[in-house]
Amino acid sequence: MAKKRPQTKAPQATGGEVPVVGAREPCPCGSGRRYKACHGRAAAHAVTELIQRPFEGLTGEADWVALRELVPAATVELTLKGGLPEGVPSVTLATVLPMAWPALRRDDGSVLLGLQNDTPSGDLSRDLADTLQRALTAAPGTPVTAQKAAADGPRLQDLLDPGAAFEPVVHSGFEFWVPDSENATPEVTASLERANEAAIPTVKLASADAAYWCETPEKNHLRWVMPHPEERLLDALARLQAAGSSSLGVGTRLVGSFRAHGLTVPVWDLPSAMGAGECEKPAAEFAERLAGALADDSPLTPEERRARGGLTNRQVTLS
């Protein structure tokens, strides 16, 4: 078997930054290797590297995750650093847009930014920021198509006002797509009908941050996006599970959790008769119990370790 040639560090080209060239061309740094095997490797890695917590640092990170992965129809008014550009009366984040458009510049100049779209790189925040920037300058009345963002382009954290509130409004359907439904195109009308048929009834709780009740045919669920470090949260949930205090009342059960964009989302099964309003008080009481369990640094007991193993086995990764 041939020996691998030892890797040597490529010399830097004089003048600073190495320009981008074709993958098979000689690297401009003067190493004698092709660009894809030299400085192009780092450039490709920068584009494809998965950012585990793309919304970290944004106000309402847990709600960003919920709207990306769990909530069918919701909108949030966004506030940009430095204010809105001239001719753009508002910028609104939406879970889904008609025809799965990444963004839409409406006839009145306002912008809708879609959150639940496939993105071309591993950095969802950068891809969304690129789409938003292009939407701000698009012609009124036109959608914005998908496009690969520059590896060094801005992220949402660079564009949004960090001091502004993030307040999702959950809708029963997608009528917010078409302020004037009588003049909507047949394609948009058909897309609206399909989306409304598929939407699961969802309500955001008032008593807990980023907790969302949803209704399904057989049973209801509470899905609660939590910002705590995963290992510490699983320990706390295991303590409550072992103590018999992890439920939200009679007929409810903590059944597992999702992983989504670096955060953990515990999920409870609820009786079909238990609506969102009936979840408010139990959720607030559970939050108090969880705070106590999170503050407990003692080693897990054998019963708690078994409970933790069960919770870990019932985790599902969404992203």
Side-chain angles (χ1 to χ4, degrees):
M1 182 180 293
K3 293 182 178 180
K4 287 187 176 181
R5 185 172 59 186
Q7 297 293 318
T8 58
K9 189 174 181 180
Q12 289 288 336
T14 56
E17 187 175 339
V18 176
V20 176
V21 297
R24 300 179 64 84
E25 294 180 37
C27 187
C29 75
S31 67
R33 288 183 286 169
R34 290 177 178 174
Y35 179 69
K36 70 176 183 179
C38 192
H39 282 86
R41 181 182 299 166
H45 179 72
V47 173
T48 59
E49 182 182 10
L50 177 64
I51 303 301
Q52 298 290 345
R53 288 181 62 180
F55 306 120
E56 185 176 15
L58 291 174
T59 302
E61 179 188 7
D63 281 310
W64 277 92
V65 172
L67 267 56
R68 167 72 182 186
E69 299 294 340
L70 306 174
V71 181
T75 55
V76 185
E77 294 300 313
L78 298 180
T79 303
L80 305 185
K81 288 181 180 179
L84 294 167
E86 184 177 355
V88 180
S90 64
V91 174
T92 303
L93 180 73
T95 48
V96 181
L97 294 181
M99 316 299 291
W101 289 326
L104 172 67
R105 182 88 185 272
R106 282 177 161 163
D107 291 334
D108 66 354
S110 60
V111 168
L112 288 177
L113 176 66
L115 183 56
Q116 295 180 14
N117 291 301
D118 292 333
T119 55
S121 83
D123 188 349
L124 179 57
S125 178
R126 196 180 309 280
D127 292 333
L128 288 168
D130 176 75
T131 299
L132 174 56
Q133 285 190 311
R134 290 186 291 119
L136 293 171
T137 58
T142 60
V144 175
T145 57
Q147 174 180 299
K148 190 173 184 178
D152 59 349
R155 308 178 75 236
L156 287 173
Q157 289 82 345
D158 302 315
L159 302 183
L160 301 182
D161 183 349
F166 189 82
E167 300 176 347
V169 177
V170 178
H171 305 276
S172 59
F174 295 87
E175 282 70 23
F176 64 86
W177 284 356
V178 282
D180 184 7
S181 58
E182 293 182 357
N183 294 323
T185 65
E187 292 82 1
V188 170
T189 299
S191 183
L192 174 62
E193 292 175 353
R194 290 193 300 270
N196 280 343
E197 289 175 0
I200 296 174
T202 301
V203 177
K204 187 180 190 301
L205 297 195
S207 61
D209 291 337
Y212 291 82
W213 170 94
C214 68
E215 179 184 10
T216 61
E218 295 185 358
K219 61 184 68 176
N220 299 337
H221 305 279
L222 183 70
R223 302 180 291 190
W224 192 338
V225 187
M226 296 186 174
H228 317 291
E230 180 180 1
E231 297 302 316
R232 191 169 188 85
L233 176 58
L234 288 174
D235 282 351
L237 292 173
R239 295 183 195 278
L240 297 178
Q241 186 92 310
S245 57
S246 63
S247 76
L248 299 176
V250 177
T252 72
R253 186 167 68 99
L254 175 63
V255 293
S257 62
F258 297 128
R259 282 196 196 98
H261 303 290
L263 299 186
T264 304
V265 189
V267 178
W268 285 261
D269 278 353
L270 311 173
S272 57
M274 188 173 185
E278 287 76 34
C279 289
E280 295 286 2
K281 184 178 178 181
E285 292 171 346
F286 177 85
E288 293 182 3
R289 298 196 299 273
L290 180 63
L294 286 167
D296 188 347
D297 290 328
S298 64
L300 296 181
T301 66
E303 292 79 9
E304 291 168 347
R305 287 198 298 271
R306 284 194 291 272
R308 194 186 193 283
L311 291 170
T312 302
N313 291 335
R314 296 194 298 274
Q315 278 190 311
V316 176
T317 300
L318 300 181
S319 58

